[in-house]
Amino acid sequence: MSRTPRIPNLGGARAFVLHRPHPTVQAITRQLSAIGLVTVGCWPELAPEALAADFVFFDADLGFDEQFPWKPGEAPMPLVALIGSEAPGRIEWALSHKADAQLLKPVGNAGVYSALLIARQSFEARKHLAGEIAALRQRVAERQTIVRAVSALSKGGDDDRAYAQLRSLAMSWQISVEDAARRIVAMMEEAKTGEARTGEAHIGDESGDDQPHRA
């Protein structure tokens, strides 16, 4: 059975409302205050202290990228889009910032609390998924490094024996197999770089011998 998410206590949280002075801001502020949130209104851009906010409401109708102290889609907190115009361009822009919830304008006497809860859950789910993707990419990268290390150790021979050698090296170095593979790959690349430099120096010496001697 799936567990039902617990409703978080939002009392004391800080919410920034990025919107020009408007009755919409007043309606949102009243609801946030009733829930127990501290509200900070701002326009035309977010102050640096907004990076520590728990929620940010932003105007999707007149918003632009430079209002935010982060890149589109990289907000460190849940975002709630305030949408009045359903023009495709405006909706697309709000989506580019990965809004976690939305409120349709004009905002009445309800809707803010549900928007907060939906935004919080969507944001946490997105963060969790991003973490899983990053972990999978790291595992793939580590496996590729292990393959390169085994290939370097086997030199076209027995891969099983090379992998056993890699594990033996990891144990003797008292590090993980992945770290041992990275060390071997680094040593291999350093050796190649050294060979390339030696080759360049050798070519330079030969070209110097060919220079005619002046009296």
Side-chain angles (χ1 to χ4, degrees):
M1 294 177 61
S2 59
R3 296 180 60 184
T4 303
R6 294 183 60 185
I7 301 299
N9 181 11
L10 301 178
R14 297 184 72 202
F16 279 68
V17 182
L18 181 61
H19 197 288
R20 66 195 185 284
H22 191 272
T24 290
V25 178
Q26 299 172 12
I28 293 173
T29 301
R30 282 196 303 270
Q31 294 186 55
L32 290 173
S33 298
I35 298 168
L37 278 77
V38 177
T39 307
V40 181
C42 49
W43 186 262
E45 61 186 20
L46 286 171
E49 55 265 28
L51 289 169
D54 297 291
F55 298 92
V56 168
F57 292 75
F58 69 95
D59 184 12
D61 298 337
L62 298 177
F64 50 94
D65 291 343
E66 290 73 19
Q67 289 181 299
F68 303 95
W70 53 72
K71 295 180 181 179
E74 298 182 4
M77 77 289 291
L79 299 182
V80 180
L82 303 171
I83 300 175
S85 169
E86 294 188 336
R90 289 284 82 194
I91 300 297
E92 184 178 356
W93 179 80
L95 291 173
S96 73
H97 281 270
K98 291 184 168 58
D100 300 291
Q102 68 177 38
L103 270 176
L104 296 179
K105 297 189 289 186
V107 177
N109 296 322
V112 168
Y113 184 60
S114 60
L116 290 173
L117 296 182
I118 292 171
R120 170 72 67 84
Q121 184 171 342
S122 298
F123 177 76
E124 293 297 335
R126 185 156 50 84
K127 275 205 319 181
H128 180 72
L129 180 60
E132 287 186 339
I133 292 173
L136 288 172
R137 287 177 175 172
Q138 179 64 26
R139 288 174 61 185
V140 169
E142 289 177 349
R143 289 181 180 180
Q144 290 175 343
T145 303
I146 290 174
V147 169
R148 291 180 63 190
V150 168
S151 176
L153 291 172
S154 69
K155 297 180 180 179
D158 190 346
D159 287 344
D160 291 338
R161 182 174 297 178
Y163 182 71
Q165 183 181 357
L166 174 62
R167 293 186 62 183
S168 178
L169 288 171
M171 292 177 64
S172 64
W173 292 338
Q174 296 184 347
I175 58 178
S176 67
V177 173
E178 291 79 10
D179 288 339
R182 280 191 287 269
R183 182 179 294 186
I184 291 171
V185 169
M187 293 167 60
M188 177 181 63
E189 292 178 349
E190 185 177 350
K192 287 183 178 180
T193 302
E195 291 175 0
R197 289 176 179 173
T198 302
E200 290 175 358
H202 182 65
I203 293 173
D205 292 340
E206 290 183 346
S207 62
D209 292 341
D210 293 337
Q211 295 296 327
H213 295 284
R214 294 182 180 181

